[in-house]
Amino acid sequence: MELFLMTVTTGIMVGGIYALVALGWVLIYKCSGVLNLAMGEMTLIGAYVSLSFYSMGVPFLLALAFSLVIGFILGILTERIFLDKLIGEPVLTVIMVTVGLSFFFKGTVEFIWGTDTQVFTPPVFSIEPIHIGPLIIGQVYLWSFIAAIVLLIIFVCFFKYTRWGLAMQATADDEMAALSVGVSARFVYAAAWAIAFMAAGVGGTLLGNINGLNISVSYLGLLVLPAVVLGGLNSVPGAIVGGIIIGVLQNLCGTYLDRYFPGAVKEIAPFAFMAIFLLFKPYGLWGWERIERV
């Protein structure tokens, strides 16, 4: 029973980090209807930027803040340089551009930082575990989960209570109505990419503290896709819940099934679950079908 509780608890904590990256997927899809297949590489870039600042002696929280600023700038530049001219083009065209961006970003990371695994030195979080009743929780998991939840709350408050956030929601719900009241679609798309870059970078940084950082972290972008689909591609709360569910599912499979099916069952399970789930809920838990009115 203790093993089960520890597995679920750790899964929830990792799921909170997944939810941050899932938020980036949802933002871009809500605003433009595009699945951004470069999300994993955006996660990788943000993580390496944080690591670079931390390696120069910058305190971790300040390094994280710097990575958020750089992520914001890179998100805007990416949208302006590569995607701005594609507004109104077929969705498939834009998706293929994001595929090209994923290779471009990965090549850039390999050129600048290499492919060897790097770690945060000295460790950001103490290796001494925390005892909560029968549970033994690593501090890196606990503090990473707390940081992820705090940032998720900040992002949700931004969407609900700020003028920019409301403009983004309005454009996502009805672009023509938003344009008619003076909301700039170009601004909304750029802001969506900027925030997605920020969220992905923080998620990558937190995961880098857990497992070390190398080029394989970019796989996180696809690993989070089942969480996004599960919650609903156009639902921010769904991204949060979906991330936690996938984190728990992945941990449970890794703990109980790896002994019987050694290999990649931990990575395969979320996609298998997504495929089965879509048979019953094609639009996810909180997603909805887009209806075109003529």
Side-chain angles (χ1 to χ4, degrees), residues 59-73:
F60 177 70
L61 290 179
L62 192 56
L64 194 59
F66 285 157
S67 73
L68 285 172
V69 173
I70 291 177
F72 182 85
I73 294 170

Side-chain angles (χ1 to χ4, degrees), residues 71-91:
F72 182 85
I73 294 170
L74 289 177
I76 291 178
L77 289 176
T78 299
E79 197 280 333
R80 283 286 180 260
I81 295 173
F82 298 103
L83 300 161
D84 184 54
K85 303 301 182 183
L86 297 178
I87 294 177
E89 296 297 324
V91 171

Side-chain angles (χ1 to χ4, degrees), residues 222-261:
L222 285 180
L223 183 62
V224 169
L225 181 58
V228 179
V229 173
L230 175 64
L233 279 167
N234 39 28
S235 172
V236 172
I240 298 172
V241 175
I244 293 174
I245 291 175
I246 292 300
V248 172
L249 175 67
Q250 190 183 33
N251 254 33
L252 287 172
C253 291
T255 300
Y256 293 104
L257 296 182
D258 262 354
R259 68 184 74 174
Y260 304 110
F261 307 99

Side-chain angles (χ1 to χ4, degrees), residues 16-26 39-40 43 152 196 199-204 207 220-222 224 228 239:
I17 303 174
Y18 288 171
L20 265 179
V21 183
L23 180 65
W25 279 92
V26 169
M39 186 60 67
T43 302
L152 283 170
V202 174
L207 284 173
L220 172 68
L222 285 180
V224 169
V228 179

Side-chain angles (χ1 to χ4, degrees), residues 15-222:
I17 303 174
Y18 288 171
L20 265 179
V21 183
L23 180 65
W25 279 92
V26 169
L27 280 179
I28 293 176
Y29 182 83
K30 276 176 69 72
C31 293
S32 61
V34 171
L35 285 175
N36 173 24
L37 298 181
M39 186 60 67
E41 286 67 30
M42 290 162 61
T43 302
L44 194 62
I45 290 175
Y48 271 111
V49 169
S50 295
L51 177 63
S52 297
F53 280 114
Y54 187 72
S55 300
M56 291 187 290
V58 177
F60 177 70
L61 290 179
L62 192 56
L64 194 59
F66 285 157
S67 73
L68 285 172
V69 173
I70 291 177
F72 182 85
I73 294 170
L74 289 177
I76 291 178
L77 289 176
T78 299
E79 197 280 333
R80 283 286 180 260
I81 295 173
F82 298 103
L83 300 161
D84 184 54
K85 303 301 182 183
L86 297 178
I87 294 177
E89 296 297 324
V91 171
L92 181 60
T93 301
V94 185
I95 292 176
M96 294 309 298
V97 170
T98 68
V99 173
L101 284 174
S102 71
F103 287 101
F104 172 71
F105 288 154
K106 183 176 290 187
T108 302
V109 167
E110 292 178 354
F111 177 76
I112 297 175
W113 288 284
T115 57
D116 294 336
T117 299
Q118 302 182 38
V119 297
F120 286 78
T121 306
V124 177
F125 305 102
S126 172
I127 61 174
E128 187 70 23
I130 295 176
H131 296 262
I132 304 176
L135 301 178
I136 302 175
I137 303 172
Q139 291 198 34
V140 62
Y141 288 100
L142 179 61
W143 291 111
S144 295
F145 175 74
I146 292 173
I149 292 301
V150 168
L151 285 168
L152 283 170
I153 291 172
I154 291 173
F155 283 133
V156 170
C157 290
F158 168 80
F159 297 131
K160 291 188 67 174
Y161 301 114
T162 68
R163 182 177 179 182
W164 289 1
L166 292 172
M168 293 178 69
Q169 286 195 69
T171 303
D173 291 337
D174 192 328
E175 182 176 325
M176 293 303 296
L179 291 172
S180 69
V181 296
V183 175
S184 170
R186 295 183 70 228
F187 161 77
V188 168
Y189 295 150
W193 275 84
I195 295 174
F197 227 119
M198 293 166 68
V202 174
T205 300
L206 296 176
L207 284 173
N209 275 280
I210 295 174
N211 300 317
L213 189 57
N214 57 39
I215 204 73
S216 66
V217 171
S218 62
Y219 174 65
L220 172 68
L222 285 180

Side-chain angles (χ1 to χ4, degrees), residues 259-273:
R259 68 184 74 174
Y260 304 110
F261 307 99
V265 64
K266 187 176 180 179
E267 282 72 31
I268 294 173
F271 293 96
F273 179 76

